[in-house]
Structures are given as C-alpha cells and as structure tokens.
Amino acid sequence: MEPLKLTIDGREVTTVKGKTVIEAAAEAGIDIPHYCYHPKLPIAGNCRMCLVEIEKMPRLQIACNTQVNEGMAVQTQSPKVLEARRAVMEFLLVNHPLDCPICDQAGECRLQDYYMAHDLKASRFEERKEHDYKREIFGPHVVFDGERCINCTRCVRFLQAVTRTEELTVVDRGDHSTIALFPDRVLDNPLSANVVDICPVGALTDRDFRFKVRVWYLKDTPSICPGCSTGCNITIGAYQNRIARFKPRVNEEVNSHWICDEGRYCFHRLTEVERLTSPLIRQEGGLVPTDWETALQAALSGLSAGAPLAGVISGRNTNEEAFLFARLMRRISSEAALEVFYQERPLTEVEKILKSPDRSPNFRGAREMGVISNGGFDSWLGQLIEGKFRGAYIVGEDLLSALPEGEKIKSALARLSFLVVQDSHLTATAELAHVVLPATNFAEKEGTYTNREGRVQKLNAALVPPEGALQDWEIFARMQREAGDRVSYSTPGQIFQTIANEVPRYGGLSYLRIGEQGAQPSDQT
Amino acid sequence: MQRVEKMGLWERSYLPEILRGLIVTGSRFWRNLFIHTLHQLGLAKRLDAAMTVQYPDERWPYPDTYRGRHRLTLKEDGAVQCTACFLCATACPAECIYIEAGEYPDNPVEKYPVRYEIDTLRCIYCGFCVEACPCDAIRMDTGLHPANWGFSRKDFVENKELLMDRSRQLEAKGKEALYEEHVRQYQHV
C-alpha cells in the first residue's frame, strides 16, 4: 500500500496506490455523480456520469475506472465536466418516461437528483420515445420497468459477483437494449431484493413496498435487523406508526451494503399482529383483562410459589431486557433454569452469504447477560417437556407455533402450576397462561443486540408502542420492585451502564461508543 | 409612547358622546330602512342604500379564479384522473388530504387512489393541491362554497366518490345550476 498524493478540486488528498479517482474523492468527502459505479461491485464504466477532467489528459476520464497517480490534478466541477455531465444526463433522459408521479423511486432517484443539480431544462427531444416493458415481474419481490432502466447493469453485476446466481442479463442493442431474465429463470434468490436498493433509478422496485407510501413521508430510524444473529444494520422506514420497509444500512464489519430477503420482510410477521393492550389474568372460564398492578402481583406470587422455575426469553429481546430478566428470575428462585430461544435450520450456499442458521438475533447477548443454563436450549426444552418444572415465565416467543414439538409442549405447559407469558400479542402459548403481560416488539424498543460475532449494536425505537403495553425492561423492573428490590432505571441506557459495570466483556462500552456502527468488545472475559 | 388617549371633560361626561354615536348609527339605520323599503316598492332605484349584498337572494359574480370546493377530474372513460402520486398531500399546508394508493391489475397507468379524502374542516382552500398536481386531476373550479354545516365531523370529510361525482355534476349541469342547487340547500336549513 504505497501512499500517494493528488489534488481533487484544488484540495490535496492523500490515498494509496491502486485506488480509483472516485474512491479517493469519496474518502475526501467529494461526491462525484455516478450511476453504474458501486463500491462493492465490479467496475462497468458504462453510465459515463462520473467524467472528470484530469490535468495533462486530453479527454475527460471516468473517475470510477481511472487509477490515482502521484501528483494527479483532478477537476470535478470544471465547465468542461459540467457540460459533459449535462450531455450524459440528456442522453439518459431521452427515452426515460415521465413516470415520477407513479414511480416508487421518486424522492430518492439519482436521475431526479442529478437533473436538479445539472440540467434543469426542458427536453429537446421531439421524436417518439422508445417504449419498453412496463411492470415485468422478475421474481417474488422484484418488478421491472424497462422504460425507466438506464442499463447501468448494477443488478446484473450484483447477481454475478455477490450472489453468483446470474438470473439477469442485458439483451438487444442500441435503444432496444434492456435487462431481462434468462429463459426459465426467476429472480428468487435469497438476496434478490437487494437489486432494488442498488438500482439508481426506478427500474427495479420492491413488490412489497410498491405504492405503499412515498419515500419522503418515511420516518427513518437506524436499527438492527431482527431476522437472525448476523445483526445486519438496517434503516426502518415507518409511516403512520407502521413499518413500511427495511433498507440495508452500510456497515462493512457486518453486512456491507446488503440484507437478505427474509430479514427484509420479517417485520410483517413480527409487527402486523393484533396487539394486546392490557394485561390478562386467568379466571374461571378464561383470560380476562386486568390492570398492571394486579397482573404483576399475581405473576410475582405465582412464580414465587412455582419452583422449580423455568424462564425463557426471546432472542429478539435486548441485552438490557435479558439482563433484568436474569436478575428478576434469580431473585425469585436462585435455581431458576433460564434459557434464550435458539433453533437452527439448514441454509443454502447463497443464504450463507449473510444469514445465520438461527432466528434469534440476540441469543449471544442474552447468554452473556446470564440467561444461560447447562446444556443449552434443547436440553432446557427437554426438561420442560418431561415436566421437570412447576412454574414458567415465557417472554416474547410463541413456543407452541415456533417449534415442531408443539403438541408435547402444549401438554407440558398445561401441566404447569403457574405460567406467565409476556408477548406483544395473544399467541397460542399465551392462551395457556395464567397471566399474560402485553409487551413491545423489536421496532418499539431501544437497546442493544450482540450478534453472533459478539459485536454490540444499537436498536432504536421506530414505532410508538400501543397504549396499555409496557416495554419488556419496564415490566421486569416493576416486578423486581414488587419483590422488594430497589430498582431505579428509567431508560435502557441506564441499564446498559450497569451491564458495562458488571459484565466484564462489556466493560467500557456505552451507547455513545456503540454509535450507529456498533462496537466489538474484546473477547477476554 | 402614549398608549391611552387622554379624554377631555366633554368625553368624560359620557352621555354626550353616547348620544352622538347613537345619532350616527340611528340615522344610517333609518336611511337604509327607508331606501330599502322604497326599493321593495320599485321606487328610487337610483338611490343607493347600504352596500350589503342580500346573499343568497342576490350575489356578486365570482371571478374564474375563485377557489371553491374541490373536484377530482375524470378521464374520458369516466375513471379517476388521479394517479395517487401524493404531491397534493405533500404540498398541502393543512395536511388535510388522505390518500391510499392501489394498483390496477391491467392498466398502463398502474397506480390509482383506492381512497382519496379531503377533510374540509382542516382545509384552508389555498389551492396548493391544484398547483401541485402534475395530472390536472384536482381542481377547485366548481365555484361552490365550503360546506358550513353538518351534524358530525364525518360530514365534512369529502371522499373520492363525492369528489368525482362533483365533476360529473359540473359536466351535466354547468356551474350556475350547480350553484343554484347548492344555495337552495342552504335556504332549507
């Protein structure tokens, strides 16, 4: 890595040999307009938008495929460059339809952005626009509009270089040139919807998000995908207190620029449920609504009399919640068998690019917070089915529906002397409970997840929880207070401070240090 | 700065000023009553009474740019022109437009509003929605006054069907007749 210096727009930039001009500029915070260039894809150099003027070179060069040299002087805003870019824009827009009102990309479209920045004049094109495929279904998640496509081939290169599934290619020549599926292929690989994110225009759009909401209405919240323990960084786009979409958020240490389709759409199953809005308590005949005071007292006294006690927490609960859960359960019964829900499933080769085999994004964190017993989840489940426990506290997971042993679990739970279920909605498991406590889902929480690799990352609340539900940590804290302990947390951040003081691996961490990109504490415990 | 005007002895003695005011209003009142009565009898038409317009029996002509109640324009086949692009809702300073977009299964336009509602209690009739619309799908050229009576808040929410129907009625009856009908409704309240 040989360091070298060059100037971009008169600014001296230090970089290393082998980088391209566009990369060196990006490092220096100078954005060179581009469509086909993507930092994680092979260079194609076909959009011609990133043209820059380089001293002593007779013609304009494309910044994405020109390597830096010592002493190079680059101009990205000279009159010659601006004129060239304007001409490129004009060509790209020749056959582009005026679809903006019905195009989901509008608002985050590179064509719109660069048009506003460079062109701003009416079309000189008087001939008939070339028409192409509209609304071509490419796969379960992706729909293609050929007229909007600028043939940057980002999607084609993504499917060649990242997933290696190669469903798409460029066909035909000239202005008939378009993107198409290979015969008898469907764009259905486990990462397929990423092509929508990398499409710089509205040619590829998301069938799930299609026409739901205009992007400028979305309230974006940086968060972590709750799909599995890879812990992909995402941005939650919410509208009217509902999640409209997940978008990947760049984190080179975890997911780079991508997320998998399963993670991308998992919010439907996790948030689109009929929510519980008050605690329920079992009386003759069934579960009836009650107030929090009564419910918490009943839960606490029932669990206290329920030893040997079992507790299971969902892998979607945060470190802060797992920490309080472990404390509470050990306070009630020091022998309590605690576990975090963990199930593995087989993955295909393409899935392995991002996915982890579990569905518990924070199983590692929960274990580190003390939600751990000898033998792991499967042995814990075995003991539950054998009837080793008398009382149980199940948090955030519908054991009956999530596991193949559903029937056995059902009879085991029915035999318990006392069962508390805490979840966002009335699950099949909750229907067996003596006390049901309404809690929040991942999108309503603030807290941290620790991914499979041990990286601590922060979740932020994107939605407002329904009235009547409480945050999981709040429920644990109130119950602990009910048990006579002094607990004075008022935010998850305060709980995390306690964690940083008490769990050695988390020493020195704070929400500030975790930031938006997460932090990898050392593994020495 | 002197905020309170100092009153002299004459003002402070109260009654003379009260009487002077009563004389001004009283004389205008009797004069108007007298001339209006003459007008009713068909006399002294050239003499002007008060400038009041006897709405709704008589009214001034509205300019063409008058921003009346909204309507959603229609295509030739009678379908709604709107493509649910949300630009009106985005431009709206009162946030009174609610749209829910849907997809035509087989139509090149692809997108249409499943729901389109204007909460006229919030609407300030500024006309930004009309200006923002790229498809000329919403207009305020009906010349009708905003609704000013109803029995619940729901009565003031104008939905897609009503807004489309207004276009059909305008087409069928014309602006004048539509207005007459509208005014007659008022008179029967």
Side-chain angles (χ1 to χ4, degrees), chain B residues 53-71:
Chain B
V53 173
Q54 300 300 309
Y55 185 83
D57 295 326
E58 53 181 277
R59 62 188 182 99
W60 286 49
Y62 291 147
D64 287 341
T65 50
Y66 173 76
R67 297 191 296 272
R69 284 191 185 186
H70 312 75
R71 68 185 178 98

Side-chain angles (χ1 to χ4, degrees), chain A residues 133-144:
Chain A
Y133 300 110
K134 292 277 256 186
R135 212 168 14 173
E136 179 105 326
I137 305 294
F138 268 4
H141 307 305
V142 183
V143 56
F144 174 65

